[in-house]
Amino acid sequence: MSADYIYAATAAKYGDPLGPTYDMLRRTKNCREIIESASRPNENLDKRLTFDGGRGIRSGQGF
């Protein structure tokens, strides 16, 4: 999986290739929820990836 794919998928989901900011997360989660969610892998990750690194990347595609 290339870094380009990861950055594109993250940008499609959060609007920023580096992901959500702490302030963005705090709008909907408390500190404990942020820490707990950071320690879990993404749900349905296997469905979103292929052997060559990923499926098509388009905004709103569930990333």
Side-chain angles (χ1 to χ4, degrees):
M1 178 181 306
S2 75
D4 292 337
Y5 170 79
I6 294 169
Y7 287 131
T10 304
K13 184 172 183 176
Y14 299 107
D16 185 320
L18 298 179
T21 64
Y22 175 75
D23 292 332
M24 179 189 282
L25 293 171
R26 284 290 290 146
R27 289 184 205 139
T28 59
K29 297 181 178 193
N30 63 42
C31 293
R32 172 168 276 181
E33 291 171 325
I34 293 170
I35 293 167
E36 289 173 352
S37 66
S39 67
R40 288 190 309 267
N42 292 332
E43 292 181 30
N44 76 348
L45 184 60
D46 290 341
K47 293 178 185 177
R48 295 183 351 209
L49 300 178
T50 64
F51 289 111
D52 65 351
R55 300 179 194 269
I57 300 171
R58 286 177 279 227
S59 182
Q61 195 175 17
F63 291 104

